[in-house]
Amino acid sequence: MLADNPIGEPELEELAAVAAAARDLGKFSIAHAVTLKGQLRSQAAKVDFITHAPLDEALDEAFVQTMVAENRCAIPTLIMMKLTAEGKGHSCRKPGTEGKKDFALARKSVKRDYSLASKSVKLMHDAGVPILAGDDHNTAWFTPAHPEVGNSMHEELKLLVDAGLSPTEALRAATVTPAQKFKLWDRGIVMPGSRADLVLLKEDPTVDIANIGTIKQVWCAGVSWTPKQSLLERSSYFDYGWTAASRDYVKSMIGYWIEGILRLGRRMYGEGGL
């Protein structure tokens, strides 16, 4: 769910109702919150996971202690926040219009300070908040940055280490920790009977996190391929790359954006909408 959005955000009561309904159904609730306001709304709604780390203000000790007490997890997506703060995106732009201002990055009143996001991660980590690695990779025109698929996760782990995690903790943030928090008991760990998602490296990443780039071999669900092989050579990739769940997600996002536009219209023009 989106806890903050320039087009139009749900009311706090709506966020809380969705989070409560998810708990009743045995599901998780995940909130998108790129601002301190969004983080506060997400926490008040009692969501399970909060994505992003705010660029406008750092989280404070009271907020973080509440996260610990309520067993809430953070997915800071530092690579996304860093690129956004640097203006490395083209929100709402079409190909060929690079260099033009867009509605998201042109809002000069919104502070975008990456150091605040990194500071928040250090505060959460030091307090014991579970940190999960996420890169927020996307190719949508309306987003403020586009982390590169694959490499962005490597950069995310490096940024987590810069924010205070040890290399081993950063690796766990991308493997066993998310598997446990999302109750995916068949993955995230190397043991008999688990899903064979493995990466063989030439150098030790627990010594230097940059060594995650020294890839020698990869196994996805037990299928082996080398870095020189293209995913296009793996027809099985496309067998499950566009699933019913993927289609449902796209439908839900389209529905959300339509509702956001209508919500904005009601705010601007009254109940008559657009």
Side-chain angles (χ1 to χ4, degrees):
M1 65 184 81
L2 296 180
D4 50 14
N5 190 285
I7 291 182
E9 57 198 23
E11 299 295 336
L12 177 57
E13 293 75 12
E14 294 175 303
L15 293 174
V18 171
R23 285 193 297 273
D24 292 342
L25 294 171
K27 305 294 184 180
F28 296 112
S29 56
I30 307 174
H32 160 101
V34 297
T35 63
L36 179 60
K37 174 186 175 183
Q39 297 271 328
L40 293 170
R41 282 162 50 84
S42 300
Q43 184 119 285
K46 297 190 179 300
V47 303
D48 298 304
F49 300 84
I50 303 179
T51 62
H52 307 306
L55 295 173
D56 56 341
E57 296 290 343
L59 303 176
D60 61 23
E61 185 68 30
F63 183 94
V64 170
Q65 288 303 322
T66 300
M67 291 189 74
V68 174
E70 297 181 355
N71 196 30
R72 190 159 292 113
C73 299
I75 311 174
T77 67
L78 287 179
I79 182 60
M80 179 63 167
M81 310 321 292
K82 186 172 187 292
L83 293 177
T84 298
E86 294 173 350
K88 299 290 183 65
H90 47 276
S91 163
C92 279
R93 295 177 187 161
K94 294 183 179 180
T97 63
E98 289 78 7
K100 295 183 179 180
K101 291 184 178 180
D102 61 84
F103 84 95
L105 295 180
R107 293 184 303 165
K108 296 181 179 180
S109 61
V110 179
K111 185 195 304 184
R112 285 183 166 83
D113 185 344
Y114 173 73
S115 68
L116 298 174
S118 183
K119 179 180 178 181
S120 293
V121 171
K122 177 172 175 51
L123 187 64
M124 289 188 289
H125 170 256
D126 291 347
V129 174
I131 305 294
L132 280 58
D135 57 10
D136 204 22
H137 161 70
N138 72 88
T139 57
W141 292 342
F142 50 80
T143 55
H146 302 107
E148 182 183 1
V149 64
N151 289 337
S152 58
M153 180 54 71
H154 291 191
E155 295 303 314
E156 179 71 14
L157 299 190
K158 295 174 186 176
L159 292 174
L160 289 176
V161 171
D162 291 343
L165 278 70
S166 70
T168 298
E169 289 171 330
L171 291 170
R172 290 177 65 85
T175 53
V176 63
T177 302
Q180 290 178 345
K181 295 303 179 181
F182 283 101
K183 298 184 178 180
L184 301 173
W185 308 119
D186 66 333
R187 64 199 70 190
I189 190 171
V190 180
M191 64 178 295
S194 294
R195 177 183 163 105
D197 293 333
L198 305 167
V199 180
L200 178 62
L201 303 176
K202 299 175 184 177
E203 305 292 339
D204 186 356
T206 65
V207 174
D208 183 351
I209 195 63
N211 288 335
I212 56 176
T214 63
I215 300 173
K216 183 176 182 180
Q217 194 80 12
V218 175
W219 291 265
C220 296
V223 178
S224 173
W225 64 281
T226 64
K228 293 183 180 180
Q229 289 177 291
S230 168
L231 284 176
L232 294 175
E233 300 173 19
R234 295 288 180 177
S235 60
S236 60
Y237 172 79
F238 295 97
D239 292 340
Y240 56 81
W242 183 248
T243 63
S246 300
R247 289 191 292 272
D248 290 343
Y249 173 76
V250 171
K251 290 178 182 177
S252 67
M253 287 303 296
I254 292 174
Y256 175 81
W257 283 104
I258 292 175
E259 172 59 26
I261 293 171
L262 293 175
R263 189 188 299 272
L264 179 62
R266 288 193 292 270
R267 289 184 179 181
M268 294 176 64
Y269 303 105
E271 289 302 319
L274 299 175

